[in-house]
Amino acid sequence: MPKETPSQTAGPYVHIGLMPGVIGIPFEPERNWNRLFRDGVQGTRIHIEGIVFDGTETPVRDAVLELWQADAQGRYPGHDTDADPAFFGFGRAAADFSTGLFVFETIKPGPVPMGDGRVQAPHCSLLIFARGINIHLHTRIYFEDEAEANARDPILALIEQENRRQTLLARRTLRDGAVVYRFDVHLQGPKETVFFDA
Amino acid sequence: MKQKLEAVRPRDRSWHPPAYFPDYKTSVLRSPRLPLVSFTATKSELTGPVFGHGMIRPTDNDLIVNGRVDGDPIGPRMVLCGAVLDEDGRPVPNVLIEIWQANAAGRYRHVNDGYLAPLDPNFWGVGRTLSAADGSFWFRTIRPGPYPWRNRVNDWRPSHIHVSLWGAGLAQRLITQVYFEGDPLLPHCPIFNSVPDPAARARLVAKLVMDESLPHDLLTWRIDFVLRGPRQTFFENRPEGA
């Protein structure tokens, strides 16, 4: 029985392979990895943005992040036959080389049924790759304005410390009429983000 | 083809490199120190993006031609081939495989690479493909060179190709690096040696396959990848739960 191939760090040059456009390689000039939808998408358009911080609170400016989420009705594109065809569900964002800020343009996901009667609160799965990260980090973005759904979420409920649950809540703001959720990631330290093994 | 994982085995974290591996200095400040929160993968982890053949162009897996301006890139011509399998040894089709690498001189086409070795005007160092129905894949490229990096005073990376794999679900996600059999730099590399078990490290080393090499043209190196997931079903026309 073969075991899984071991992970290795994505390293500092991960952009060449995953997002060549951000460093000027015209390998896929038509692609805009950090926008998860086409025109006509259902639901509320939102931005999710943030910074990944290292243990000294310095932005990780070489990080690449991947987002996977359900559509506005909680259906996964490519898997649920009635999912919104204008929604891809998947995106990538590179931290800005000077500020470390990453930005996704997406829509607010709907709650996701577990199949056993329970329902997961609206959330996005987030994977983090960077130099110095030997195996990618997996976390989830929940939304602070979904307090009721969050309180019933079976995954959040696994986190024993209430203050650690807070690390997974994106904070809602309005900017020029657009809904912007702020989600910073702390790789270590007193504000260390909850990372999952699933 | 639409795919969904039915279930995955727990990931054996002791087989993978630990997050904190001080010989690789950057890992010190970028490693979580609190325990991961474990749970059985839900629909959110058993599903993932479906990448179609529509996003792949014919030269995407041929790095000798995809960055060409006025000639072939310089360096030893080679093929990297193999198969993507699951933990039951069964082929995994439609895996998006993306690779990136340095050129033959050990220099990346990246704004943050300051190594003094030259760029190759005919080489980007990026490729991608989808695994075939039998799990197989291949890339044509040039063998990347070793290069020095800022870690300890005299650290060098062995020749390697970065490989990203997107299988049927988030739980199968994997990024790794492929090395070359016989490279004398391997025992010195803290990144390669961040994988604790020698048997696990061996899984990252491509083997030279003389029988599949092309006389007077190129050498062929083989590596197989194994993704998590003992069970996988295809339900192209079947609604969820039917």
Side-chain angles (χ1 to χ4, degrees), chain B residues 3 9 46 51 59 64 86 88 108 138 148 161 171 178 200 202 216 241:
Chain B
Q3 314 167 25
R9 296 199 182 93
L46 295 175
F51 299 104
T59 60
I64 287 181
D86 68 15
D88 285 337
Y108 286 90
W138 63 270
I161 297 176
V178 171
H216 309 290

Side-chain angles (χ1 to χ4, degrees), chain A residues 3-4 8 27-28 76 79, chain B residues 3 15 48 57 128 179:
Chain A
K3 288 176 78 94
E4 186 183 19
Q8 292 270 268
F27 182 64
E28 43 170 17
Y76 278 101
H79 301 272
Chain B
Q3 314 167 25
W15 178 255
R57 288 157 303 186
R128 70 181 165 198
Y179 302 91

Side-chain angles (χ1 to χ4, degrees), chain B residues 78-99:
Chain B
M78 61 165 278
V79 159
L80 181 72
C81 68
V84 185
L85 308 169
D86 68 15
E87 289 174 289
D88 285 337
R90 293 179 304 185
V92 188
N94 295 309
V95 175
L96 178 66
I97 308 170
E98 296 163 293
I99 68 168

Side-chain angles (χ1 to χ4, degrees), chain A residues 15 48-67 92-104 126-133 135-139 141 167 182-189 191-195, chain B residues 26 29-32:
Chain A
H15 311 85
I48 298 175
E49 61 180 40
I51 293 175
V52 180
F53 292 100
D54 75 8
T56 67
E57 294 289 301
T58 300
V60 175
R61 298 176 301 164
D62 53 282
V64 166
L65 302 96
E66 291 185 333
L67 194 78
R92 286 176 173 158
D96 183 272
F97 287 145
S98 48
T99 64
L101 189 75
F102 67 85
V103 181
F104 289 100
L126 185 70
L127 303 181
I128 301 163
F129 303 91
R131 177 172 65 99
I133 294 179
I135 179 164
H136 61 272
L137 298 171
H138 169 204
T139 186
I141 299 169
T167 68
R182 177 79 186 195
F183 187 80
D184 290 332
V185 175
H186 297 271
L187 298 180
Q188 57 180 240
K191 292 184 280 187
E192 184 176 316
T193 299
V194 170
F195 298 105
Chain B
T26 310
L29 287 170
R30 295 183 171 193
S31 43

Side-chain angles (χ1 to χ4, degrees), chain A residues 6 56 68 82 93 99 105 125-126 145 157 176 188 192-193 196:
Chain A
T56 67
W68 171 241
D82 52 353
T99 64
E105 290 178 53
S125 295
L126 185 70
D145 51 339
D176 304 328
Q188 57 180 240
E192 184 176 316
T193 299
F196 292 114

